[in-house]
């Protein structure tokens, strides 16, 4: 049981940290290209994935000198207490306020994504304490769900991207737009699809000509059969 949960925690941490690394690399490449403007989209993506990865980085660092499951449970309690006592940043700098908001959202997602593991541990502990007339197989924790399920609006956006012809564009310092030949996709909706790893963007193309957008295997899995 514990081996399975440790494997799940390790896999989830690896996924979040790799997503952060990719976002940082994309931002670095954009910043290094003197012919392109540094966009709020790339900066926001790097900040958001960094906030998502931070609790997982803390877990991996804390468990180096201890036992992972014990450190995991202590980290959840510590982050829950911090979240309860937290207040919103009221800095005059909007970037500082947004960074603070993303930090707490990252902590919330960590707690939400690992809640079922705590339930599995508690169920196993209760089963071990109850006398059994005969040996029974160990209860297995629920299988982790890879990411979130798309909303109706997000699923429609995935279907539009599957039809092809979707590009991400930006002119000058204007807003990032998601162009589609088959229907409208809002930038906020697209940001969620990108964060969940349901779409990929060809960043080798310029914003002016449009960066092609395609579904990943994870995104295709949410399309109707």
């Amino acid at each position: 049981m514990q081996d399975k949960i440790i494997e799940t925690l390790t896999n989830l941490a690896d996924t979040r940290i790799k997503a952060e690394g990719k976002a940082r690399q994309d931002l670095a490449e954009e910043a290094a290209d003197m012919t392109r403007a540094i966009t709020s989209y790339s900066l926001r993506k790097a900040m958001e994935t960094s906030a998502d990865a931070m609790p997982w980085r803390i877990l991996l660092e804390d468990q180096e000198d201890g036992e992972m499951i014990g450190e995991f449970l202590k980290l959840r309690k510590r982050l829950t207490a911090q979240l309860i006592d937290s207040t919103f940043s009221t800095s005059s700098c909007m970037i500082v306020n947004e960074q603070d908001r993303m930090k707490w959202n990252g902590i919330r997602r960590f707690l939400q994504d690992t809640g079922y593991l705590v339930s599995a541990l508690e169920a196993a502990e209760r089963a071990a304490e109850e006398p059994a007339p005969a040996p029974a197989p160990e209860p297995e924790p629920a299988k982790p769900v890879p990411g979130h399920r798309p909303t109706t609006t997000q699923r429609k956006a995935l279907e539009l991207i599957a039809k092809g012809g979707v590009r991400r564009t930006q002119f000058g310092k204007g807003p990032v737009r998601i162009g589609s030949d088959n229907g409208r996709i809002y930038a906020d909706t697209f940001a969620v699809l990108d964060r969940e790893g349901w779409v990929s963007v060809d960043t080798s193309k310029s914003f002016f000509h449009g960066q092609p957008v395609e579904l990943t295997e994870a995104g295709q899995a949410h399309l109707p059969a």
Side-chain angles (χ1 to χ4, degrees), residues 12 42 45 53-54 68 70 72 80 83-84 88 107 111-112 116 130 138 142 164 166 179 197 207-208 211 214 217 221:
L12 288 171
S42 297
K45 182 66 179 295
M54 184 54 63
M68 178 176 264
F72 162 66
T80 299
L83 191 60
I84 292 173
F88 290 106
I107 289 175
L111 296 174
Q112 291 169 355
Y116 75 96
E130 295 175 357
E138 283 189 339
V166 176
F207 271 115
F208 181 79
Q211 297 176 330
E214 295 182 350
E217 290 185 3

Side-chain angles (χ1 to χ4, degrees), residues 25-144:
Q25 182 179 1
D26 290 344
L27 177 61
E29 291 175 355
E30 185 175 282
D33 187 348
M34 302 297 289
T35 66
R36 299 165 57 188
I38 298 178
T39 65
S40 59
Y41 176 85
S42 297
L43 180 59
R44 182 184 183 86
K45 182 66 179 295
M47 292 173 63
E48 193 170 56
T49 54
S50 177
D52 280 348
M54 184 54 63
W56 296 100
R57 289 187 179 279
I58 294 174
L59 175 61
L60 295 182
E61 290 172 2
D62 289 350
Q63 65 90 31
E64 287 182 358
D65 299 325
E67 192 268 326
M68 178 176 264
I69 291 181
E71 295 298 337
F72 162 66
L73 295 175
K74 287 191 292 185
L75 177 61
R76 277 185 55 91
K77 289 182 179 179
R78 186 164 74 246
L79 293 180
T80 299
Q82 290 177 5
L83 191 60
I84 292 173
D85 296 334
S86 68
T87 57
F88 290 106
S89 172
T90 56
S91 170
S92 59
C93 176
M94 296 301 294
I95 295 179
V96 171
N97 293 335
E98 184 67 1
Q99 184 180 29
D100 184 69
R101 186 187 68 81
M102 290 182 180
K103 178 186 75 173
W104 295 117
N105 282 346
I107 289 175
R108 289 188 186 92
R109 279 191 285 271
F110 173 81
L111 296 174
Q112 291 169 355
D113 291 347
T114 58
Y116 75 96
L117 294 175
V118 177
S119 299
L121 285 169
E122 292 174 346
E125 185 176 350
R126 288 194 300 269
E129 293 175 352
E130 295 175 357
E138 283 189 339
E140 295 185 358
K143 294 182 179 179

Side-chain angles (χ1 to χ4, degrees), residues 201-216:
V201 182
D202 185 356
T203 56
S204 66
K205 307 298 183 181
S206 70
F207 271 115
F208 181 79
H209 292 96
Q211 297 176 330
V213 178
E214 295 182 350
L215 291 184
T216 62

